[in-house]
């Protein structure tokens, strides 16, 4: 006999699958799989399942299956179905994460998908449809996200046929298990195939410890998707993932891993336009002083430059061709930032402001290479050891700034050090992009040397100002100052590489500004559905518009 308490515990555990839920962690009796309710599902490995596979294969709607099954994995935690589904699809699309997983290997794993939600929180509560779409976007995929409230079963069928007939895109469904008579609630899994004759889809269930892959009627899957997620109050749906033609960004990115991102996004989008309406602004330095003195605490946690970290013993003292190319791309962006007129204003202002205003000194302190290296290398060590998101403490012992050879070119600056965690030590290198021509010697790492070659606060603040939507500045009353500011922040004449970097950041900024409000989640999904090109929300028209053509509607220069 099974007690009521036992049943409640099992239900409480499975409720965490794929969505948020509360409740205390309790010990439960162990389970070995579940019997797949059939009908409505047909087990993939059954005779009927094999027949459906064979006929679908002959019809050409199993093309995506082989890539997915090559990289298929079981979710490693009961609430990791969204992360596991995303890992499978990202690897099937051969998207390079740009950072190492374990050893020398770059590979998507659930433990690396933490940019939009802390892993501890996902493990405890699950993850929502919007956050999975956000993760896919941050990971570098082209994302088209559709809620059932903004789509139809016929549109869904067309997307299924498109994805199952090609290796170039894959579909992840977010659905409730109840219509399939399965235990549990919200769940994510990739769709691996389509049988047109019976109008059935193949669900590659990432909870393989529970149910095997199975065929279900497409319209029943639509019914399962057309349910409300209690955590958000929004419908579930599906998302189509494919490869972007090029990397969304090279050097800079906006981070939502720190709680300060909410206040920072609100400040930049809501507060700055109001501040700029102040009377008496007549020069660019006055504008910069007004904006920078009101920056929220920990503003430096909001915009980051992307550093590459590697184990010392892996590659010796020679950079690989791929490492050299990635570093060169970062350096091109950095150099182009420092060639802008806006950067010169920001640099001159901060240099003078630090001397008489202590509130700006915190920005300068974060430019010390030793401080940057300590933080970055600890994060890198956590990733390399699979410990990101786990309660594991790392400390960094900096050893030296050295140079590595790069195929006969000028040497590359590298910060080498030892990361310590408990009784374990790991030597790591951080590759440092620089904006100027390399010298024959490593540059002086003395903190007193204020001529910084590596990315600094000056660069980050410049790029952040460029990324603000043009309408931010239309409140400036002085016509001459407005024209001068417009010339400084205009991206029309920027080099293409920097222009694309700024457009990506502008897209991220508006994405995050809407993400801070749960009620805006539908519009976030709409943003991902519209296009892979950067889009932003127009408060004037109330619609998403192409970020490149977005302009101030009530004022022109």
């Amino acid at each position: 006999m099974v007690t009521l308490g036992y049943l409640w515990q099992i239900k409480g555990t499975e409720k965490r699958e794929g969505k948020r839920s509360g409740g205390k962690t309790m010990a439960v009796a162990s389970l070995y799989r579940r019997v797949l309710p059939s009908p409505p599902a047909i087990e993939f490995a059954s005779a009927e399942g094999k027949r459906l596979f064979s006929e679908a294969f002959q019809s050409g709607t199993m093309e995506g299956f082989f890539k997915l099954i090559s990289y298929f994995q079981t979710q490693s935690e009961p609430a990791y179905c969204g992360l596991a589904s995303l890992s499978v699809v990202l690897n099937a699309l051969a998207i390079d994460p740009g950072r190492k997983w374990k050893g020398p290997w770059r590979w998507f794993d659930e433990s690396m998908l933490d940019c939009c939600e802390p892993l501890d929180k996902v493990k405890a509560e699950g993850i929502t449809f919007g956050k999975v779409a956000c993760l896919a976007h941050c990971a570098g995929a082209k994302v088209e996200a559709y809620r059932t409230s903004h789509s139809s079963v016929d549109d869904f069928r067309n997307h299924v046929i498109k994805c199952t007939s090609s290796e170039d895109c894959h579909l992840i469904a977010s659905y409730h298990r109840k219509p399939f008579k399965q235990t549990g609630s919200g769940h994510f899994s990739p769709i691996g195939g389509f049988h047109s004759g019976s109008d059935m889809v193949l669900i590659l269930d990432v909870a393989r410890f529970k149910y095997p892959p199975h065929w279900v009627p497409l319209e029943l899957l639509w019914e399962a998707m057309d349910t409300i997620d209690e955590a958000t109050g929004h419908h579930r749906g599906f998302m189509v993932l494919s490869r972007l033609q090029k990397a969304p960004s090279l050097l800079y990115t906006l981070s939502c891993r720190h709680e300060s991102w909410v206040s920072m996004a609100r400040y930049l989008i809501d507060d700055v336009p109001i501040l700029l309406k102040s009377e008496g602004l007549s020069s660019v330095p006055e504008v910069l002083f007004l904006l920078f003195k009101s920056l929220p605490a920990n503003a430096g946690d909001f915009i980051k430059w992307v550093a590459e970290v590697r184990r010392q013993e892996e590659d010796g003292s020679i950079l690989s061709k791929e490492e050299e190319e990635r570093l060169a791309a970062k350096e091109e962006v950095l150099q182009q930032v420092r060639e802008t007129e806006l950067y010169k204003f920001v640099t001159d202002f901060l240099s003078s402001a630090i001397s008489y205003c202590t509130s700006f000194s915190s920005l300068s302190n974060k430019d010390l290479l030793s401080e940057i290296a300590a933080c970055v290398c600890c994060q890198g060590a956590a990733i390399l050891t699979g410990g990101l998101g786990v309660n594991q403490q790392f400390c960094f012992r900096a050893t030296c700034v050295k140079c590595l050879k790069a195929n006969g070119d000028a040497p590359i600056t590298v910060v080498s050090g030892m990361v310590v965690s408990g009784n374990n030590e790991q030597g790591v290198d951080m590759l440092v992009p620089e904006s100027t021509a390399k010298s024959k010697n490593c540059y002086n790492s003395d903190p007193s040397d204020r001529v910084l070659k590596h990315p600094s606060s000056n660069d980050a603040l410049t790029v952040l100002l460029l990324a603000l939507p043009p309408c931010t500045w239309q409140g400036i009353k002085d016509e001459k100052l407005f024209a001068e500011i417009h010339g400084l922040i205009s991206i029309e004449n920027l080099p293409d590489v920097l222009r694309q970097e700024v457009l990506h950041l502008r897209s991220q900024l508006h994405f995050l500004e809407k993400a801070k409000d749960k009620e805006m989640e539908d519009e976030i999904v709409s943003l991902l559905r519209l296009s892979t090109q950067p889009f932003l929300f127009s408060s004037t028209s109330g619609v998403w518009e192409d970020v490149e053509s977005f302009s101030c509607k009530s004022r022109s220069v």
Side-chain angles (χ1 to χ4, degrees):
M1 178 180 291
V2 180
T3 66
L4 180 61
Y6 172 82
L7 288 173
W8 180 87
Q9 290 168 15
I10 294 299
K11 180 180 179 182
T13 300
E14 293 192 338
K15 186 178 179 183
R16 291 169 53 191
E17 186 178 30
K19 63 170 286 184
R20 301 175 186 275
S21 67
K24 298 179 180 179
T25 301
M26 300 182 66
V28 297
S30 64
L31 294 170
Y32 180 68
R33 301 168 57 177
R34 288 284 193 186
V35 176
L36 180 69
S38 180
I42 299 174
E43 186 172 346
F44 177 62
S46 68
E48 180 67 6
K50 293 176 182 177
R51 181 187 69 80
L52 292 172
F53 173 83
S54 178
E55 292 176 1
F57 176 73
Q58 294 298 323
S59 299
T61 51
M62 293 299 298
E63 292 302 310
F65 169 82
F66 297 98
K67 286 290 186 181
L68 290 171
I69 208 67
S70 296
Y71 303 101
F72 194 52
Q73 69 183 69
T74 303
Q75 61 189 80
S76 62
E77 294 285 346
Y80 272 14
C81 55
L83 304 186
S85 299
L86 192 51
S87 295
V88 171
V89 170
L90 292 171
N91 288 322
L93 291 170
I95 294 176
D96 189 339
R99 60 175 181 168
K100 295 174 184 177
W101 164 57
K102 292 183 180 180
W105 305 108
R106 299 196 303 277
W107 181 258
F108 276 109
D109 178 72
E110 297 161 316
S111 63
M112 299 169 66
L113 299 172
D114 70 329
C115 70
C116 299
E117 195 83 304
L119 291 179
D120 288 343
K121 190 171 185 179
V122 177
K123 184 176 179 180
E125 303 178 2
I127 192 168
T128 64
F129 181 77
K131 287 296 178 68
V132 173
C134 173
L135 282 170
H137 178 73
C138 291
K142 173 186 174 182
V143 188
E144 300 171 76
Y146 303 86
R147 294 193 187 277
T148 56
S149 54
H150 294 87
S151 184
S152 69
V153 66
D154 291 332
D155 289 337
F156 175 55
R157 183 180 290 107
N158 290 335
H159 283 292
V160 167
I161 293 172
K162 174 185 174 182
C163 291
T164 56
S165 302
S166 169
E167 295 181 346
D168 297 332
C169 63
H170 299 291
L171 188 148
I172 294 175
S174 169
Y175 60 96
H176 199 288
R177 287 191 181 274
K178 186 176 180 180
F180 302 130
K181 302 178 183 179
Q182 300 173 1
T183 62
S185 56
H187 193 54
F188 293 88
S189 280
I191 301 303
F194 174 68
H195 187 274
S196 58
S198 61
D199 198 32
M200 299 187 82
V201 296
L202 176 62
I203 296 179
L204 298 178
D205 199 324
V206 291
R208 289 194 290 179
F209 52 81
K210 184 177 182 181
Y211 294 120
H214 47 278
W215 295 90
V216 297
L218 182 143
E219 292 196 2
L220 190 59
L221 176 56
W222 176 263
E223 179 184 329
M225 294 190 302
D226 194 24
T227 52
I228 302 295
D229 184 347
E230 295 176 1
T232 63
H234 296 299
H235 286 78
R236 295 181 171 88
F238 64 96
M239 59 191 76
V240 176
L241 273 62
S242 56
R243 287 177 60 95
L244 286 172
Q245 296 302 310
K246 58 183 178 180
S249 65
L250 297 172
L251 182 58
Y252 298 100
T253 188
L254 301 183
S255 172
C256 58
R257 291 191 63 197
H258 300 273
E259 293 182 359
S260 61
W261 75 266
V262 175
S263 60
M264 190 64 180
R266 183 178 293 113
Y267 172 73
L268 294 173
I269 297 298
D270 300 334
D271 299 342
V272 166
I274 296 174
L275 289 173
L276 291 173
K277 294 179 181 179
S278 303
E279 298 287 347
L281 291 178
S282 59
S283 68
V284 174
E286 289 177 358
V287 171
L288 296 179
F289 179 80
L290 182 66
L291 300 187
F292 293 163
K293 77 170 184 177
S294 302
L295 280 174
N298 301 318
D301 292 330
F302 185 64
I303 182 167
K304 303 284 189 179
W305 62 275
V306 181
E308 184 163 348
V309 178
R310 66 178 193 171
R311 288 192 178 97
Q312 289 177 2
E313 67 269 23
E314 286 173 3
D315 306 293
S317 59
I318 304 295
L319 262 67
S320 69
K321 182 179 179 181
E322 288 184 341
E323 288 173 326
E324 189 177 347
E325 289 175 350
R326 290 195 298 270
L327 193 61
K330 290 180 173 65
E331 290 180 335
E332 182 178 9
V333 173
L334 181 59
Q335 184 64 33
Q336 289 180 0
V337 171
R338 295 187 173 182
E339 290 174 352
T340 64
E341 288 299 315
L342 181 59
Y343 171 79
K344 297 173 185 177
F345 271 102
V346 171
T347 300
D348 290 344
F349 169 76
L350 290 178
S351 297
S352 59
I354 289 172
S355 63
Y356 65 82
C357 185
T358 57
S359 62
F360 295 104
S361 60
S362 60
L363 295 173
S364 177
N365 292 338
K366 292 188 177 183
D367 289 338
L368 298 180
L369 193 55
S370 59
E371 297 293 329
I372 296 172
C375 178
V376 170
C377 288
C378 286
Q379 292 179 19
I383 295 170
L384 294 172
T385 58
L388 196 63
V390 180
N391 292 326
Q392 188 173 2
Q393 298 297 319
F394 294 88
C395 65
F396 181 69
R397 291 205 307 263
T399 55
C400 69
V401 176
K402 64 181 183 181
C403 299
L404 294 185
K405 298 178 181 178
N407 298 324
D409 297 333
I412 302 296
T413 300
V414 173
V415 177
S416 293
M418 190 67 64
V419 176
V420 182
S421 176
N423 295 324
N424 299 319
E425 294 186 348
Q426 173 66 62
V428 292
D429 290 334
M430 183 183 82
L431 307 184
V432 182
E434 297 180 342
S435 65
T436 57
K438 306 291 191 305
S439 62
K440 294 183 179 180
N441 301 313
C442 288
Y443 74 92
N444 183 10
S445 60
D446 186 345
S448 63
D449 182 3
R450 301 311 305 161
V451 181
L452 299 177
K453 299 180 180 179
H454 63 271
S456 66
S457 298
N458 298 9
D459 318 312
L461 291 172
T462 300
V463 173
L464 196 56
L465 291 175
L466 289 171
L468 294 177
C471 284
T472 300
W473 313 93
Q474 70 176 17
I476 297 176
K477 295 182 173 61
D478 187 292
E479 293 293 338
K480 182 178 179 181
L481 175 60
F482 177 77
E484 185 176 10
I485 289 290
H486 182 272
L488 292 174
I489 57 90
S490 175
I491 65 173
E492 294 179 1
N493 297 322
L494 292 180
D496 185 64
V497 173
L498 178 56
R499 185 169 180 269
Q500 293 304 316
E501 191 86 352
V502 169
L503 288 174
H504 173 71
L505 290 175
R506 189 174 291 180
S507 174
Q508 277 190 317
L509 177 60
H510 283 268
F511 186 89
L512 292 177
E513 196 273 334
K514 299 305 174 186
K516 66 181 173 60
D517 300 318
K518 282 189 175 181
E519 63 270 17
M520 300 301 291
E521 186 161 330
D522 270 341
E523 292 183 21
I524 297 168
V525 172
S526 298
L527 167 62
L528 294 174
R529 183 176 70 246
L530 286 171
S531 174
T532 58
Q533 297 300 316
F535 273 71
L536 57 84
F537 187 76
S538 167
S539 58
T540 304
S541 61
V543 297
W544 292 98
E545 301 188 12
D546 187 339
V547 77
E548 295 191 44
S549 61
F550 189 86
S551 61
C552 299
K553 302 182 188 306
S554 60
R555 184 171 183 176
S556 59
V557 177

